[in-house]
Amino acid sequence: MYSNVYQGEFGSIRNLISKNEFQKAYDLLQKISNKCSEWYYLTGLSAMNIGYYDEGEEYIKTAAIMEPTNEEYSHAFNQYNQYRNDYNRNSYNYNRRKQNDLGGCCCCCGDDCCDTLCQLWCADQCCECCGGDLITCC
């Protein structure tokens, strides 16, 4: 699995991760020079939990590739992929639903365009009430 030289350190780092002390774990891992699969796995977990998602994904992927029979690594990588796919799907559906909820707006460019047109129309109406004209064609 990993070198006995780092077994104590990896145990301490796993303990930090279990206590949600991800930054401390990440910082300790950066000091270890022997980058075995356990290092990649723990660094990936720490990185993701402090917001370094791309880096974390690559590290966990590397750990899973280095030890394809390690269920913990494979499970973490698959779980992250599932989370990312769910996020992307939800995001896509949210934006699609938002465009379909325009209530008959014929605008093909989404809410932002309709909102801008409505704001311009309101501004034009206000100007006309005061004797001005923002948009001369309306």
Side-chain angles (χ1 to χ4, degrees), residues 41-69:
Y41 173 71
L42 295 175
T43 304
L45 286 180
S46 300
M48 281 190 189
N49 282 286
I50 56 177
Y52 305 148
Y53 301 111
D54 292 337
E55 178 183 340
E57 178 185 7
E58 283 303 312
Y59 286 144
I60 289 177
K61 180 180 177 181
T62 301
I65 290 170
M66 288 175 78
E67 280 194 50
T69 58

Side-chain angles (χ1 to χ4, degrees), residues 59-134:
Y59 286 144
I60 289 177
K61 180 180 177 181
T62 301
I65 290 170
M66 288 175 78
E67 280 194 50
T69 58
N70 187 312
E71 291 182 22
E72 183 179 27
Y73 302 167
S74 298
H75 177 73
F77 184 64
N78 292 335
Q79 187 176 17
Y80 174 74
N81 281 330
Q82 182 65 41
Y83 175 80
R84 184 187 59 209
N85 292 340
D86 288 346
Y87 178 84
N88 289 340
R89 186 174 31 263
N90 290 338
S91 165
Y92 172 78
N93 289 336
Y94 171 78
N95 290 329
R96 189 167 186 209
R97 184 180 69 246
K98 194 172 179 184
Q99 288 176 354
N100 289 336
D101 289 345
L102 290 175
C105 178
C106 62
C107 190
C108 62
C109 49
D111 283 337
D112 292 339
C113 182
C114 289
D115 287 345
T116 302
L117 290 174
C118 287
Q119 290 169 358
L120 283 172
W121 180 78
C122 288
D124 181 57
Q125 294 302 307
C126 289
C127 283
E128 287 178 0
C129 287
C130 297
D133 195 13
L134 181 66

Side-chain angles (χ1 to χ4, degrees), residues 23-35:
Q23 187 65 55
K24 285 182 184 178
Y26 184 84
D27 293 341
L28 285 173
L29 285 158
Q30 297 308 305
K31 296 176 184 176
I32 295 176
S33 59
N34 183 12
K35 294 175 174 48

